[in-house]
Amino acid sequence: MSTAAPRPAAQDRLWTVDEHLEDILATVRPLEPIELQLPDAQGCVLVEDVTVPVSLPPFDNSSMDGYAVRVADVAGASEDYPAALEVVGDVAAGQAAELLHVGPGQAARIMTGAPLPPGAETVVPVEWTDGGLGEGPVDGMRARSLAPEQATGHVRVYRPAEARAHVREKGSDVKAGDRALEAGTVLGPPQIALLAAIGRGTVRVRPRPRVVVLSTGSELVPPGEELRSGQIYDSNSFALTAAARDAGAIAYRVGAVADDADTLRSTIEDQLVRADLVVTTGGVSVGAYDVVKEALSHVGDEDEAGSGIEFRRLAMQPGKPQGFGSIGPDHTPLLALPGNPVSSYVSFELFARPAIRTLMGLQDVHRPTMRATLTTDKALTSPQGRRQFLRAAYSEGTVRPVGGAGSHLVAALAHADALIVVPEDVESVEPGTEVEVVLLG
């Protein structure tokens, strides 16, 4: 949660992208760790190393359906001269291996995952045997015996087997005392599987942040409804909710709020009970109906001097108007992003995504960046003194712009998987120039 207010700024100051992001990351703190059951821990970040309490697998077991035998008893076996062995019983998965002992000239029918019985040194697949039927090689195992004493008879083995063949050795995956997972690991399905396999029912993690997303504007209509004159569909709340989930958060889409300061303020206050971060879009510029500024400019935390929401102008394009601060009794961080679709999405990637990843407790909170060669028909232009972020498509070390520079061109955004970064002191970028690229996918 937030612990300090952003630095005060003069109204006419132009902030850099780095200054604004620095303030956000200095204010947002990782969420407090909690103990969660494995199904609830998916997507969360471990806060401590996990040590293996028991080796995996915990015992030698068969990787095939077949017969557990001694190596000497099948040495030299062939289809012309098979090794004939006495079958002393079955070993099924979940059965104690000590129930049987394989002696000279003997074999135990064994199922995949079953423990290797004492005396046995290797496993021959059932396809290398007659399956006890006496009719040549078989394709698979017969129905399993009901009890070891019923698995009598003989089996012919047509091929030799080396020691420990088709045996999964105890500890061959991980050994007791090994470090299974490091603190800072994001728990996905494979990590959940490992934790379950070593017997961990719960883990200590930082919970996934709860992010409330709402857009503002009386002109906004939910998709699926009929548009009237002067109205547009609300895309921002859907885009940013999806982006928050992609970042690892639990996201709640409130939808569009009309241009009324009291309504917006009460809506945000109602949402604070389920928010670790609030993200708004629209109403942060200098228009007559910039409701977010009107509603939140003078809202502060009663018990923390200097807190509240501060609105700034950033030296960037798109996304010049931005707001950030904390709100409510728990000092919940709030990011106020511009309303144009491209501006809001770019702003989310630059500021909200790192904030979410910080709340999760991750060390690397930024999208990956790299250098790529610009492929375009003509030079790119950029306003002097602004850091520009252009939608682009990246492929094998090259990058090309997608769509125009307008911050309302959402169709081009759907075909972009990267952002070209043009520094503040660069006004023109020629084709073939190596540029910085932020990878979005």
Side-chain angles (χ1 to χ4, degrees):
M1 305 303 292
S2 61
T3 59
R7 296 191 301 265
Q11 291 298 317
D12 58 350
R13 176 176 176 181
L14 196 63
W15 294 72
T16 69
V17 172
D18 295 335
E19 286 174 334
H20 188 62
L21 179 59
E22 180 184 348
D23 268 357
I24 292 171
L25 298 186
T27 302
V28 175
R29 290 288 181 267
L31 300 176
E32 289 298 317
I34 58 175
E35 193 83 12
L36 287 180
Q37 298 285 332
L38 288 190
D40 300 321
Q42 183 175 352
C44 297
V45 178
L46 278 176
V47 297
E48 58 190 10
D49 292 348
V50 174
T51 302
V52 179
V54 60
S55 294
L56 190 65
F59 48 82
D60 293 346
N61 69 90
S62 177
S63 65
M64 305 283 287
D65 289 341
Y67 290 85
V69 301
R70 289 159 38 100
V71 172
D73 290 335
V74 295
S78 67
E79 290 197 23
D80 292 332
Y81 300 100
L85 304 177
E86 176 190 4
V87 179
V88 295
D90 279 353
V91 187
Q95 179 180 326
E98 292 78 9
L99 296 177
L100 286 177
H101 185 279
V102 176
Q106 295 179 332
R109 194 164 65 156
I110 192 167
M111 310 306 163
T112 301
L116 193 69
E121 299 168 329
T122 190
V123 172
V124 291
V126 66
E127 293 84 1
W128 296 5
T129 77
D130 68 352
L133 301 178
E135 300 174 355
V138 296
D139 294 330
M141 190 72 77
R142 293 181 300 168
R144 188 170 54 184
S145 301
L146 296 177
E149 61 268 19
Q150 294 177 317
T152 56
H154 292 79
V155 64
R156 289 182 174 85
V157 180
Y158 300 108
R159 291 176 59 178
E162 297 179 355
R164 313 298 288 176
H166 310 112
V167 175
R168 302 168 180 148
E169 295 191 9
K170 176 181 178 179
S172 57
D173 193 350
V174 289
K175 293 180 172 59
D178 287 351
R179 183 169 57 184
L181 296 171
E182 295 182 356
T185 300
V186 180
L187 298 181
Q191 292 76 32
I192 297 291
L194 175 56
L195 290 167
I198 62 175
R200 286 292 295 264
T202 65
V203 282
R204 191 162 177 78
V205 297
R206 297 192 192 278
R208 295 169 61 195
R210 301 164 302 162
V211 177
V212 170
V213 177
L214 58 89
S215 50
T216 63
S218 298
E219 77 281 10
L220 299 178
V221 176
E225 294 189 7
E226 182 180 355
L227 285 180
R228 296 180 180 178
S229 178
Q231 294 181 327
I232 60 173
Y233 287 121
D234 171 24
S235 63
N236 284 355
S237 66
F238 288 90
L240 300 193
T241 299
R245 289 171 181 161
D246 181 72
I250 299 171
Y252 304 104
R253 190 191 69 86
V254 177
V257 179
D259 288 322
D260 179 79
D262 291 336
T263 300
L264 175 62
R265 192 180 299 112
S266 63
T267 300
I268 292 175
E269 290 172 352
D270 289 343
Q271 293 296 322
L272 292 180
V273 68
R274 62 172 181 173
D276 298 307
L277 174 69
V278 176
V279 178
T280 69
T281 71
V284 296
S285 190
V286 293
Y289 297 99
D290 289 321
V291 65
V292 176
K293 289 184 70 173
E294 180 184 352
L296 302 180
S297 287
H298 305 293
V299 173
D301 298 321
E302 296 178 358
D303 57 348
E304 185 173 335
S307 63
I309 311 301
E310 179 181 310
F311 293 89
R312 300 171 171 176
R313 296 181 305 120
L314 268 60
M316 64 180 287
Q317 186 184 58
K320 181 179 179 180
Q322 300 284 337
F324 170 66
S326 63
I327 187 170
D330 294 325
H331 316 309
T332 303
L334 183 146
L335 285 169
L337 310 182
N340 281 319
V342 177
S343 298
S344 68
Y345 182 74
V346 170
S347 298
F348 185 96
E349 286 291 334
L350 295 180
F351 306 123
R353 182 183 175 90
I356 290 171
R357 308 289 280 181
T358 299
L359 287 167
M360 293 176 66
L362 291 169
Q363 295 299 313
D364 186 4
V365 300
H366 302 290
R367 288 284 198 185
T369 61
M370 63 185 312
R371 307 292 294 183
T373 302
L374 177 65
T375 58
T376 182
D377 295 334
K378 59 182 180 180
L380 301 180
T381 60
S382 184
Q384 198 278 333
R386 303 282 183 87
R387 186 180 303 181
Q388 189 173 42
F389 298 89
L390 296 170
R391 289 145 292 170
Y394 172 82
S395 177
E396 298 180 349
T398 64
V399 65
R400 60 178 178 83
V402 175
S407 58
H408 64 292
L409 301 175
V410 69
L413 185 62
H415 299 283
D417 60 7
L419 296 173
I420 297 171
V421 183
V422 183
E424 291 87 340
D425 58 351
V426 175
E427 298 183 54
S428 179
V429 184
E430 296 293 330
T433 302
E434 190 178 72
V435 294
E436 181 183 356
V437 175
V438 179
L439 300 180
L440 301 178

